[in-house]
């Protein structure tokens, strides 16, 4: 049981982590002690002792010509119902998860948090400082209540929301224009090191760390036109973590997905493999990343053509349907669980199979071929 718990730690490569210069891991308890906090998100990743399960999300989609059946979150704690649970249930009861990158109820971060909560985990979230006030207000006023409903009918509870800006490791890294920016007024202790210290002070330790952050201030610019600062910002906030999210642009050219984001995702996947070896040998921690397909989330809209990307995916992927955030959340819950105890250093594709395609079958070139599929 001890070995299983330890190997159940999941480090997914979706970028930043709350760092810790000295981490103390209880192998038998699969517990991450956020002891001495270090200065880098990447170190946080190796410091995070992901217990025996991971994370997922959900969001709303605009109507499309394709019939889409909502995927119900399957990760459920055995204690959520008194009746026997069939199959292989994921039980995260007694585990505490920190999800960095939740600012609304229609992104992958929210869906991952929801899947973990459905499996019984306690939920802590880190929210980008400029979005903190509106997120907490919406949460308090019940605007997310419909999205908080879990499979057993209860509402997902978020124990605490922490202000977070993963671009900055510690207060010394924060430039004056950010310190005096009115969008940051009223918030304190929001750098990576400070958040890690706050979590340690409040809860002592966490079991699951999810990185659902990405920052590409110049994402709409081609790489040739991206400034050094924009490129480094993308690499800074979009790399290194426990459970993270990547994208196919790390290995294939996606025109319009610029600002260094494709480079950041490629670096993230490389870090996933290296950390899988180092953290696995040193702490028996597993590190994986999920390569998710396009989702109509608030953050994705910054790219400017997310609807086109979704339409392309539906037309060309083996599974012709719109991707649900819950599907990514459930994959994360699986990766964090003992069921995935032998999986580490992997890029898990949750994209309806689009990654397997070498060409776009909707091209006029293939119009005379009898390619099966729905017509749109």
């Amino acid at each position: 049981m001890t070995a299983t718990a330890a190997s159940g730690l999941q480090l997914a490569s979706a970028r930043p982590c709350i760092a810790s210069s000295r981490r103390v891991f209880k192998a038998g308890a699969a517990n991450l002690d956020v002891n001495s906090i270090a200065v880098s998100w990447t170190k946080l990743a190796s410091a995070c002792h992901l217990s025996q399960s991971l994370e997922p999300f959900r969001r709303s989609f605009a109507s499309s010509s394709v019939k889409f059946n909502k995927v119900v979150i399957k990760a459920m704690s055995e204690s959520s119902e008194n009746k026997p649970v069939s199959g292989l249930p994921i039980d995260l009861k007694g585990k505490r998860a920190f999800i960095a990158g939740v600012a609304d109820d229609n992104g992958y971060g929210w869906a991952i948090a929801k899947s973990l909560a459905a499996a019984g985990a306690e939920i802590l979230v880190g929210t980008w400082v400029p979005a903190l006030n509106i997120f907490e207000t919406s949460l308090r006023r019940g605007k997310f209540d419909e999205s908080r409903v879990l499979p057993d009918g209860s509402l997902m509870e978020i124990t605490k929301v922490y202000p977070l800006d993963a671009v900055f490791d510690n207060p010394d890294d924060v430039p004056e224009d950010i310190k005096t920016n009115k969008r940051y007024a009223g918030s304190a202790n929001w750098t990576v090191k400070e958040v890690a210290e706050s979590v340690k002070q409040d809860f002592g330790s966490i079991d699951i760390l999810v990185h659902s952050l990405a920052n590409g201030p110049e994402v709409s610019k081609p790489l040739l036109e991206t400034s050094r600062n924009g490129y480094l910002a993308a690499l800074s906030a979009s790399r290194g973590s426990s459970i993270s999210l990547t994208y196919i642009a790390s290995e294939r050219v996606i025109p319009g997905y610029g600002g260094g984001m494709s480079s950041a995702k490629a670096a993230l996947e490389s870090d996933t493999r290296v950390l899988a070896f180092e953290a696995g040998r040193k702490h028996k921690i597993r590190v994986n990343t999920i390569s998710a397909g396009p989702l109509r989330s608030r953050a994705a809209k910054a790219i400017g053509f997310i609807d086109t990307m979704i339409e392309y995916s539906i037309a060309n992927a083996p599974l012709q349907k719109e991707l649900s955030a819950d599907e990514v959340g459930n994959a994360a819950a699986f990766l964090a669980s003992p069921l995935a105890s032998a999986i580490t250093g992997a890029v898990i594709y949750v994209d309806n199979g689009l990654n397997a395609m070498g060409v776009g079958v909707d091209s006029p070139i293939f119009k005379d071929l009898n390619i099966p599929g729905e017509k749109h």
Side-chain angles (χ1 to χ4, degrees):
M1 181 63 185
T2 298
T4 303
S7 59
L9 296 186
Q10 172 69 17
L11 265 144
S13 67
R15 279 134 293 270
C17 283
I18 300 175
S20 131
S21 54
R22 179 172 68 92
R23 318 121 179 99
V24 178
F25 295 92
K26 301 175 183 176
N31 196 4
L32 162 65
D33 190 351
V34 195
N35 232 357
S36 332
I37 322 296
V39 257
S40 106
W41 211 207
T42 307
K43 291 181 182 177
L44 202 189
S46 56
C48 297
H49 197 156
L50 273 133
S51 84
Q52 313 183 37
S53 23
L54 284 194
E55 48 280 22
F57 324 161
R58 83 106 279 171
R59 76 242 64 283
S60 45
F61 300 93
S63 58
S64 107
S65 56
V66 177
K67 292 182 180 178
F68 175 75
N69 295 319
K70 182 179 178 182
V71 176
V72 179
I73 294 178
K74 298 298 184 184
M76 293 181 66
S77 168
E78 292 186 53
S79 62
S80 64
E81 293 184 15
N82 293 323
K83 38 186 163 182
V85 179
S86 61
L88 296 172
I90 295 175
D91 187 359
L92 299 181
K93 186 175 60 172
K95 304 300 181 182
R96 182 177 296 117
F98 184 94
I99 300 93
V102 179
D104 54 35
D105 66 339
N106 72 341
Y108 284 129
W110 177 274
I112 287 178
K114 194 172 174 181
S115 290
L116 294 177
E122 179 182 11
I123 304 300
L124 312 176
V125 303
T127 299
W128 187 45
V129 184
L132 180 65
N133 184 53
I134 189 169
F135 176 72
E136 290 190 314
T137 299
S138 297
L139 193 63
R140 186 171 58 253
R141 293 181 177 176
K143 292 186 177 180
F144 298 151
D145 283 0
E146 185 178 349
S147 300
R148 291 170 58 204
V149 178
L150 299 177
D152 64 358
S154 64
L155 298 182
M156 173 178 70
E157 295 293 339
I158 297 177
T159 302
K160 187 163 184 176
V161 179
Y162 291 88
L164 171 66
D165 192 327
V167 170
F168 308 107
D169 283 341
N170 58 65
D172 293 337
D173 295 335
V174 183
E176 194 60 33
D177 63 320
I178 294 295
K179 291 179 180 178
T180 57
N181 190 309
K182 62 180 181 180
R183 297 197 299 170
Y184 286 74
S187 296
N189 302 322
W190 42 260
T191 64
V192 171
K193 181 178 180 180
E194 291 172 308
V195 172
E197 290 173 339
S198 295
V199 172
K200 178 181 182 297
Q201 182 178 346
D202 294 341
F203 298 97
S205 64
I206 60 174
D207 303 288
I208 302 165
L209 177 63
V210 179
H211 182 283
S212 180
L213 294 169
N215 177 42
E218 299 179 26
V219 67
S220 60
K221 291 184 179 181
L223 188 57
L224 279 173
E225 298 174 16
T226 300
S227 68
R228 176 178 175 81
N229 286 338
Y231 182 83
L232 293 177
L235 286 176
S236 171
S238 304
R239 292 177 49 211
S241 107
S242 311
I243 274 214
S244 59
L245 299 171
T246 184
Y247 182 51
I248 193 67
S250 63
E251 52 189 278
R252 307 286 170 82
V253 177
I254 307 293
Y257 190 74
M261 287 302 297
S262 57
S263 303
K265 296 302 184 184
L268 170 64
E269 292 178 18
S270 177
D271 289 348
T272 296
R273 291 183 284 270
V274 175
L275 282 172
F277 173 74
E278 295 181 353
R281 287 296 183 92
K282 210 168 179 183
H283 302 295
K284 298 188 184 302
I285 295 176
R286 296 184 296 111
V287 183
N288 294 293
T289 187
I290 296 174
S291 183
L295 177 73
R296 196 177 282 106
S297 65
R298 179 183 59 81
K301 291 177 182 176
I303 300 173
F305 57 97
I306 186 63
D307 290 340
T308 301
M309 295 170 71
I310 291 174
E311 290 168 5
Y312 177 87
S313 178
I314 292 173
N316 293 286
L319 300 179
Q320 289 187 278
K321 63 181 182 62
E322 191 165 333
L323 183 68
S324 161
D326 288 342
E327 293 171 303
V328 173
N330 290 340
F334 162 72
L335 285 174
S337 77
L339 300 180
S341 61
I343 301 175
T344 191
V347 175
I348 305 297
Y349 295 95
V350 184
D351 62 357
N352 290 322
L354 186 63
N355 72 92
M357 303 303 296
V359 296
V361 295
D362 62 346
S363 170
I365 295 175
F366 301 108
K367 63 182 174 59
D368 296 327
L369 295 183
N370 185 25
I371 298 176
E374 298 181 41
K375 300 299 181 184
H376 309 297

